[in-house]
Amino acid sequence: MRILFIGDVVGNKGMKMIRDYVPALKQEYRPQVTIANGENSTPMGRGINLSGYKEMMSSGVDVVTLGNHAWSNPEINDFIDDSKRLIRPYNFPGENVPGTGYTIMNVNGFRLAVLNFQGRVFLDNLDDPFREATELVKSLQSEADAFFVDFHAEATSEKLAFAKYMSGEVSAVVGTHTHVQTNDARIINGKTAFLTDAGMTGPADGMLGMQEKSVIERFLNQRPARYKVDEDSRGIICGCIIDIDEKTGNATKIEPVKQMENGLF
Amino acid sequence: MRILFIGDVVGNKGMKMIRDYVPALKQEYRPQVTIANGENSTPMGRGINLSGYKEMMSSGVDVVTLGNHAWSNPEINDFIDDSKRLIRPYNFPGENVPGTGYTIMNVNGFRLAVLNFQGRVFLDNLDDPFREATELVKSLQSEADAFFVDFHAEATSEKLAFAKYMSGEVSAVVGTHTHVQTNDARIINGKTAFLTDAGMTGPADGMLGMQEKSVIERFLNQRPARYKVDEDSRGIICGCIIDIDEKTGNATKIEPVKQMENGLF
Amino acid sequence: MRILFIGDVVGNKGMKMIRDYVPALKQEYRPQVTIANGENSTPMGRGINLSGYKEMMSSGVDVVTLGNHAWSNPEINDFIDDSKRLIRPYNFPGENVPGTGYTIMNVNGFRLAVLNFQGRVFLDNLDDPFREATELVKSLQSEADAFFVDFHAEATSEKLAFAKYMSGEVSAVVGTHTHVQTNDARIINGKTAFLTDAGMTGPADGMLGMQEKSVIERFLNQRPARYKVDEDSRGIICGCIIDIDEKTGNATKIEPVKQMENGLF
Amino acid sequence: MRILFIGDVVGNKGMKMIRDYVPALKQEYRPQVTIANGENSTPMGRGINLSGYKEMMSSGVDVVTLGNHAWSNPEINDFIDDSKRLIRPYNFPGENVPGTGYTIMNVNGFRLAVLNFQGRVFLDNLDDPFREATELVKSLQSEADAFFVDFHAEATSEKLAFAKYMSGEVSAVVGTHTHVQTNDARIINGKTAFLTDAGMTGPADGMLGMQEKSVIERFLNQRPARYKVDEDSRGIICGCIIDIDEKTGNATKIEPVKQMENGLF
Ligand SMILES: [Fe+2]
Ligand SMILES: [Fe+2]
Ligand SMILES: [Fe+2]
Ligand SMILES: [Fe+2]
Ligand SMILES: [Fe+2]
Ligand SMILES: [Fe+2]
Ligand SMILES: [Fe+2]
Ligand SMILES: [Fe+2]
């Protein structure tokens, strides 16, 4: 079982990279399941809309994950409940949280559960992802053969601690949110593929997807600034490839994917 | 020299309390200078608009201070530079910050400098208020006879530390921002009147000015919620009275002001 | 049923105020239950030790609550499980958390449950206090006739939201942690006594219990500083008195208590 | 001019990696200047001691930088003023901050200024690194031919914004602090080499240098835990190589360095 994971898709340029590069990456790597984090996929880079979700699907993505920007575009409330392959962090608290926090892909009989969790360090007070993930994985034992987690979090320590804590239970933990790919892909305890952050997909030259002028001004002035997606930038697509041994559920390989639009990095 | 200070004015109800109660409070206490924090005075409770500023002035307020919501209503950029008695936190960084961080009231020859500073604990990375306030007070020695500071901050420790640090130099430090009046009015070192927080002016029954439903939902769900000003609530006006000895510049009295609309608390 | 609550007891001076003033306050107010927050009661002002707990008990305190400093003195692990009237925030996560988060006082057949919860805004990622408190209160319905909560939290909004959310269920919510008494004692919805913060008990003149020099230096230098309890200060004892109607469980009165050592404030 | 930079050296294992691998890396890459971040180089992984500093120097390091743990070992106050090649973040505020925030290496007449700054997002309220770095670089124009900055910060956005803002002025910005090497080495605007984080040097298998048990427990329990350096782990050394054109001051190459103890990653 091979998985292609694509990190946070940002704005129109991110969507263009999905349309232009996911088919080619699938041709190259031949994954059975393709997952992309879509929390910044609207033209404004905040949240997701229905056409973006559908376009990712028709470009070859099988599951779309989210993060702290899940609800940034309020339209999501209109379609998340009907979007079977769109998942938001499972550990949002409260009753009747719209949508779901996991989905199960059946590929020739091998059932891969794709989970989305969000960290709490420097982020909102969601429910404990360590405990909730443990319980969810346990409850899905009879429905899934392996587990992949998009862990959307800021702090490197929380991401690694989560991966180590879950490493007996899940086949892969890939971090998202910082928009910068890390250089630490590895397999933990011979079982769990891990990458602290997959990086982002979208404009390569600005400020992690946004135009640099307003972001820098905010740092200098500490006054509100309206960030805009960096439309004119070259594009980049980032993520990783993970192989899972279907007999044992152990990850056997993880390697980063990073490709510039129209050429090499 | 007597000063009447009014804590964060919130929404239409806060403006109504200003119109209805500032004249009466002035009648009762006979302050020479009246100051109000207007950072939440728009109908939405975010920032300030020109008509609100003018209405505060025509209701008897002499100086309007601000805080972390100074720029929340972007219209402020259109009038702050022409609004002599509207001050924003002095320690916003950057070049050409709109507006000013202090103003000087001349009352029968006694010159009271009114300063606005913002704390940093749990708030944005403004310039160091301790150092900036020290330098500003020093630079105004020949222009002012006494100094009043609205210190807009979250943490009780930062507010008290600021007051103690400045207590050789300024006659009063009154905290704002938490929207809850504290019960610790005192004179520090026989010199500086201090109150950790003046409290808020506006709807008394909701969530510190906002409707309680959406605020509570945000705590429960950790998803974005649109807060609305609690329009139907009874009103409250909170602040304090401070007396300064014009010969020494020492504060001689500070007492809280807290009045419910149409009657007692 | 009358309750005397005493806010965060800090250091040796705080313990002295307990010894010297709790008996007198009990004489004056005649409470049936006396509760004190002891999270800063060691000589260092961090955590609690066994002799301090026992001394509070023998001075007339019936229940000791804690907060974010519950574990600051590691000795607590040796005695918390055997200390029936010492409670720590209920919503600490994890398995086998030492101690308990509530206790029930039986006063002439009226059973008052005393609960301790901790907020999360600007604090650690404990379990959701809103949900946990709701469930705990529900589970104790047959064991208790009324509920008192020490809600240890930083943000005024979280404290008020918690009180409003719980106001159908509990008779009193008193905030602790900021060490500054607020001036907003009230009864919410005709049911629940509320005070944003009870204030502290200990040295009155320093920095919320600590010597001012090192605290101010930390703000100026942003380097580590070792805080010491302000031993030489005059003492203060802060808290509140709450009356609960035993027939309805409704609070009928809440008023602040604040007394300086050897005289008036 | 070639620079070898080594990311946060953690504990005894980190020091062993310095002793064992810096000479070999220098042999391999032939840098003229070698810089290492030593903020975690004590056996406890907190701060630096004199013997560690001296050992780094004798192992071939030319300059040691620090970060938020600069003062964690208070012994530093005894030797930092006499340690010419030990620099701490320049933007610590206050008067008479021990030590210095930069040093200048003269290599065959080419003068490389090595600067250390610390970010503020999710960290302490130091002085504004953007403004302070701009002013420092300007003031050193006649003393230095090129500038290298170790920017010790948490947030990817602050690190990239700093690098972009400084990119007209400095030849390299390398991030430290997260202990995870990023996969985004690049040259900004044809001028400034940038890497969001260099990664760490020390135990490879634990939690970013610490033993995993206590770190994971802290996430689960939210109670204080004493972290210990992971002594038994295999070692890793992380950093980067940067080439600067001495004629233009422009960076011409940046590539990551990452080596496991006794073999390949
Ligand atoms: Fe994102
Ligand atoms: Fe995110
Ligand atoms: Fe406000
Ligand atoms: Fe505010
Ligand atoms: Fe506390
Ligand atoms: Fe406390
Ligand atoms: Fe650090
Ligand atoms: Fe470090």
Side-chain angles (χ1 to χ4, degrees):
Chain A
M1 154 75 61
R2 174 166 285 188
I3 299 164
L4 168 62
F5 181 80
I6 307 291
D8 302 36
V9 177
V10 182
N12 290 331
K13 175 62 75 174
M15 289 303 301
K16 184 176 189 323
M17 293 303 291
I18 291 290
R19 285 192 307 271
D20 293 356
Y21 287 81
V22 165
L25 287 168
K26 291 181 76 167
Q27 196 92 25
E28 183 181 348
Y29 290 107
R30 302 269 168 206
Q32 278 89 43
V33 177
T34 298
I35 306 164
N37 184 301
E39 72 148 9
N40 307 112
S41 60
T42 63
M44 305 288 286
R46 299 173 56 83
I48 189 167
N49 56 31
L50 181 56
S51 66
Y53 168 62
K54 284 186 170 167
E55 204 170 7
M56 282 191 258
M57 288 288 134
S58 63
S59 301
V61 173
D62 299 303
V63 179
V64 175
T65 57
L66 295 164
N68 58 314
H69 281 299
W71 322 101
S72 297
N73 174 20
E75 290 170 34
I76 192 173
N77 293 299
D78 300 336
F79 64 89
I80 190 170
D81 281 328
D82 300 323
S83 302
K84 199 183 158 193
R85 299 304 191 195
L86 175 60
I87 63 177
R88 43 80 189 162
Y90 181 85
N91 55 329
F92 268 98
E95 291 174 17
N96 303 319
V97 185
T100 178
Y102 70 94
T103 190
I104 298 173
M105 299 292 297
N106 189 319
V107 182
N108 302 323
F110 189 81
R111 300 161 305 169
L112 178 75
V114 182
L115 281 50
N116 193 191
F117 278 90
Q118 187 170 312
R120 302 193 293 181
V121 176
F122 311 131
L123 289 169
D124 285 335
N125 288 309
L126 304 200
D127 284 341
D128 179 354
F130 291 69
R131 195 170 50 196
E132 296 273 310
T134 303
E135 285 171 15
L136 178 61
V137 166
K138 191 174 295 180
S139 77
L140 295 176
Q141 285 304 330
S142 63
E143 296 172 50
D145 301 308
F147 296 85
F148 171 98
V149 188
D150 171 355
F151 188 54
H152 197 79
E154 173 75 35
T156 50
S157 61
E158 191 178 24
K159 282 157 142 169
L160 180 55
F162 181 86
K164 283 182 174 271
Y165 184 67
M166 297 305 296
S167 73
E169 313 297 334
V170 305
S171 301
V173 173
V174 177
T176 53
H177 179 66
T178 71
H179 291 204
V180 175
Q181 188 174 86
T182 54
N183 191 19
D184 64 338
R186 80 186 96 165
I187 292 172
I188 294 175
N189 298 335
K191 164 78 181 174
T192 305
F194 175 64
L195 177 62
T196 295
D197 208 286
M200 60 155 272
T201 297
D205 298 324
M207 276 296 313
L208 310 174
M210 297 290 137
Q211 292 174 5
E212 76 184 64
K213 188 172 177 304
S214 55
V215 179
I216 289 175
E217 267 175 13
R218 177 132 178 75
F219 278 106
L220 298 178
N221 298 338
Q222 301 288 329
R223 304 203 297 274
R226 199 154 291 247
Y227 297 168
K228 282 183 189 149
V229 171
D230 185 30
E231 301 280 6
D232 305 325
S233 180
R234 292 173 304 159
I236 191 171
I237 185 165
C238 288
C240 59
I241 286 285
I242 291 166
D243 285 346
I244 297 172
D245 180 333
E246 299 195 5
K247 289 210 201 73
T248 61
N250 291 351
T252 54
K253 193 178 82 166
I254 174 165
E255 75 182 34
V257 168
K258 186 176 72 169
Q259 212 163 312
M260 289 297 291
E261 195 175 19
N262 305 324
L264 294 168
F265 193 68
Chain B
M1 156 75 60
R2 174 166 284 186
I3 299 164
L4 169 62
F5 181 80
I6 306 292
D8 303 35
V9 177
V10 181
N12 291 331
K13 175 61 78 175
M15 289 303 302
K16 184 177 188 323
M17 293 303 290
I18 291 289
R19 283 193 309 270
D20 292 356
Y21 287 80
V22 165
L25 287 169
K26 291 182 75 169
Q27 196 92 26
E28 183 181 349
Y29 290 107
R30 301 272 168 202
Q32 279 88 42
V33 176
T34 299
I35 306 163
N37 184 302
E39 72 149 7
N40 306 111
S41 60
T42 63
M44 304 289 286
R46 300 175 56 84
I48 189 166
N49 57 31
L50 182 56
S51 67
Y53 169 61
K54 284 186 170 168
E55 203 170 8
M56 282 192 256
M57 288 287 133
S58 63
S59 301
V61 173
D62 299 304
V63 179
V64 174
T65 57
L66 293 165
N68 58 313
H69 281 298
W71 322 101
S72 297
N73 174 20
E75 291 170 34
I76 193 173
N77 293 300
D78 300 335
F79 65 90
I80 189 169
D81 282 327
D82 300 324
S83 302
K84 199 183 157 191
R85 298 305 192 195
L86 175 60
I87 63 178
R88 43 79 189 163
Y90 181 86
N91 55 328
F92 268 98
E95 291 175 17
N96 304 318
V97 186
T100 177
Y102 71 94
T103 190
I104 297 174
M105 299 291 297
N106 188 319
V107 181
N108 302 322
F110 189 82
R111 301 162 305 170
L112 179 75
V114 182
L115 281 50
N116 194 190
F117 278 90
Q118 186 170 312
R120 303 192 292 181
V121 176
F122 309 133
L123 289 169
D124 285 335
N125 287 309
L126 304 201
D127 284 341
D128 179 353
F130 291 68
R131 195 169 52 196
E132 296 274 310
T134 303
E135 285 171 15
L136 178 60
V137 166
K138 191 174 294 178
S139 78
L140 294 176
Q141 285 304 330
S142 63
E143 295 172 51
D145 301 308
F147 296 85
F148 171 98
V149 187
D150 172 355
F151 188 55
H152 196 79
E154 173 75 34
T156 50
S157 62
E158 190 179 24
K159 283 158 142 170
L160 180 55
F162 181 85
K164 284 183 173 268
Y165 184 68
M166 297 304 295
S167 74
E169 312 296 333
V170 306
S171 301
V173 172
V174 177
T176 53
H177 180 64
T178 70
H179 291 204
V180 175
Q181 189 175 85
T182 54
N183 191 19
D184 65 338
R186 81 185 95 164
I187 293 173
I188 294 174
N189 298 334
K191 164 78 182 177
T192 305
F194 175 64
L195 178 62
T196 296
D197 207 288
M200 61 153 272
T201 297
D205 298 324
M207 277 297 312
L208 310 175
M210 298 289 136
Q211 292 174 6
E212 77 185 63
K213 188 172 178 303
S214 55
V215 179
I216 288 175
E217 266 175 13
R218 176 132 178 73
F219 278 107
L220 298 177
N221 297 338
Q222 302 289 329
R223 306 203 294 274
R226 198 154 291 246
Y227 296 169
K228 282 183 188 150
V229 171
D230 185 29
E231 301 280 4
D232 305 324
S233 180
R234 292 172 306 160
I236 191 171
I237 184 164
C238 288
C240 59
I241 287 285
I242 291 167
D243 286 346
I244 298 172
D245 180 333
E246 298 194 5
K247 288 209 201 75
T248 60
N250 291 351
T252 55
K253 195 177 81 169
I254 175 166
E255 74 182 35
V257 168
K258 185 175 73 171
Q259 213 164 309
M260 289 297 291
E261 195 176 18
N262 305 324
L264 295 168
F265 195 68
Chain C
M1 157 72 61
R2 174 166 285 186
I3 299 164
L4 169 62
F5 181 79
I6 307 291
D8 303 34
V9 177
V10 181
N12 291 331
K13 175 63 78 174
M15 289 303 302
K16 184 177 187 326
M17 294 302 291
I18 291 289
R19 285 193 307 268
D20 292 356
Y21 287 81
V22 164
L25 287 169
K26 291 182 75 166
Q27 196 93 27
E28 183 181 349
Y29 290 107
R30 303 268 166 206
Q32 278 89 42
V33 177
T34 299
I35 305 163
N37 184 301
E39 73 149 7
N40 307 112
S41 60
T42 63
M44 304 289 285
R46 299 174 57 83
I48 189 167
N49 57 31
L50 182 56
S51 66
Y53 169 60
K54 285 185 171 168
E55 203 170 7
M56 282 192 255
M57 288 289 134
S58 62
S59 301
V61 173
D62 299 304
V63 179
V64 174
T65 58
L66 293 165
N68 59 313
H69 281 298
W71 322 100
S72 297
N73 174 20
E75 291 170 33
I76 193 173
N77 293 301
D78 300 335
F79 65 90
I80 190 169
D81 282 328
D82 300 323
S83 303
K84 199 183 157 192
R85 298 305 190 195
L86 175 61
I87 62 177
R88 44 79 189 162
Y90 181 86
N91 56 328
F92 269 98
E95 291 174 18
N96 304 319
V97 186
T100 177
Y102 71 93
T103 191
I104 298 174
M105 298 292 297
N106 189 319
V107 181
N108 302 324
F110 188 82
R111 301 162 304 170
L112 178 75
V114 182
L115 281 50
N116 193 190
F117 277 90
Q118 186 170 312
R120 303 192 292 181
V121 176
F122 310 132
L123 289 169
D124 284 336
N125 287 311
L126 305 201
D127 283 342
D128 179 353
F130 291 69
R131 195 169 51 196
E132 296 275 309
T134 302
E135 284 170 17
L136 178 60
V137 166
K138 190 174 294 176
S139 77
L140 295 176
Q141 284 305 328
S142 63
E143 296 172 50
D145 301 306
F147 296 85
F148 171 99
V149 187
D150 171 355
F151 188 54
H152 196 79
E154 173 75 35
T156 51
S157 61
E158 190 178 25
K159 283 157 142 172
L160 180 56
F162 181 86
K164 284 182 174 272
Y165 184 67
M166 297 306 296
S167 75
E169 312 298 333
V170 305
S171 300
V173 173
V174 177
T176 53
H177 179 63
T178 71
H179 290 204
V180 175
Q181 188 175 84
T182 54
N183 190 19
D184 65 339
R186 80 186 96 164
I187 292 172
I188 295 174
N189 298 335
K191 164 79 182 173
T192 305
F194 175 62
L195 177 63
T196 296
D197 208 287
M200 61 153 271
T201 297
D205 298 324
M207 276 296 313
L208 310 174
M210 297 290 136
Q211 292 174 5
E212 77 186 64
K213 188 172 178 303
S214 55
V215 179
I216 289 176
E217 265 175 15
R218 177 132 177 74
F219 278 107
L220 299 178
N221 298 339
Q222 303 288 329
R223 306 204 295 274
R226 199 154 290 247
Y227 296 169
K228 283 185 188 147
V229 171
D230 185 28
E231 301 279 5
D232 305 325
S233 179
R234 292 173 303 160
I236 191 171
I237 185 164
C238 288
C240 60
I241 286 285
I242 290 166
D243 285 346
I244 298 172
D245 180 332
E246 297 195 5
K247 290 210 201 74
T248 61
N250 290 351
T252 55
K253 194 177 81 168
I254 174 166
E255 75 183 33
V257 168
K258 186 176 73 171
Q259 213 164 309
M260 288 297 290
E261 195 176 19
N262 305 324
L264 296 168
F265 194 70
Chain D
M1 155 75 59
R2 174 166 284 188
I3 299 164
L4 168 62
F5 181 80
I6 306 291
D8 303 36
V9 177
V10 181
N12 290 332
K13 175 63 75 175
M15 289 303 303
K16 183 177 189 325
M17 293 303 290
I18 291 289
R19 283 193 308 270
D20 293 356
Y21 286 81
V22 165
L25 287 169
K26 291 181 75 166
Q27 196 92 26
E28 182 180 351
Y29 290 107
R30 303 268 166 204
Q32 279 87 42
V33 177
T34 298
I35 305 164
N37 184 301
E39 72 149 8
N40 306 112
S41 60
T42 64
M44 304 288 286
R46 300 174 56 84
I48 189 167
N49 57 31
L50 182 55
S51 66
Y53 169 61
K54 284 186 171 168
E55 203 169 8
M56 282 192 256
M57 288 289 134
S58 63
S59 301
V61 173
D62 299 304
V63 179
V64 174
T65 58
L66 294 165
N68 58 313
H69 280 299
W71 323 101
S72 297
N73 174 19
E75 290 170 33
I76 192 174
N77 292 299
D78 300 336
F79 65 90
I80 189 170
D81 282 328
D82 300 322
S83 302
K84 201 183 157 193
R85 297 307 189 192
L86 175 61
I87 64 178
R88 44 81 189 162
Y90 181 86
N91 55 329
F92 268 99
E95 291 174 17
N96 304 319
V97 185
T100 178
Y102 71 93
T103 190
I104 298 174
M105 297 292 297
N106 190 319
V107 181
N108 302 324
F110 189 81
R111 300 161 306 169
L112 179 75
V114 181
L115 280 51
N116 193 192
F117 278 89
Q118 187 170 311
R120 302 193 293 181
V121 176
F122 310 131
L123 289 169
D124 285 335
N125 287 308
L126 304 202
D127 283 342
D128 178 353
F130 291 68
R131 196 170 50 196
E132 296 274 309
T134 303
E135 286 171 15
L136 178 60
V137 166
K138 190 174 295 177
S139 78
L140 294 177
Q141 285 305 329
S142 63
E143 295 171 51
D145 301 308
F147 295 86
F148 171 98
V149 188
D150 171 355
F151 188 55
H152 196 79
E154 173 75 33
T156 50
S157 62
E158 190 178 25
K159 282 157 143 170
L160 180 55
F162 180 86
K164 284 183 173 268
Y165 183 67
M166 297 305 296
S167 74
E169 313 296 333
V170 305
S171 302
V173 173
V174 177
T176 53
H177 178 65
T178 70
H179 290 203
V180 175
Q181 189 174 85
T182 54
N183 191 19
D184 65 340
R186 80 187 96 164
I187 292 172
I188 295 174
N189 298 334
K191 163 79 182 173
T192 304
F194 175 64
L195 178 62
T196 295
D197 208 287
M200 61 153 271
T201 297
D205 298 324
M207 276 296 313
L208 310 175
M210 298 291 136
Q211 291 174 6
E212 77 185 64
K213 188 171 178 303
S214 55
V215 178
I216 288 175
E217 266 176 15
R218 176 132 178 75
F219 278 107
L220 298 178
N221 298 338
Q222 302 288 329
R223 305 202 298 273
R226 199 154 290 247
Y227 297 167
K228 283 185 188 146
V229 171
D230 185 28
E231 301 281 5
D232 305 324
S233 180
R234 293 173 304 161
I236 191 171
I237 185 165
C238 288
C240 60
I241 286 286
I242 292 166
D243 285 346
I244 298 172
D245 179 332
E246 299 195 4
K247 290 211 199 72
T248 61
N250 291 350
T252 55
K253 194 179 81 170
I254 174 166
E255 76 183 32
V257 168
K258 185 175 74 170
Q259 212 164 310
M260 288 297 290
E261 196 176 19
N262 305 326
L264 295 168
F265 195 68

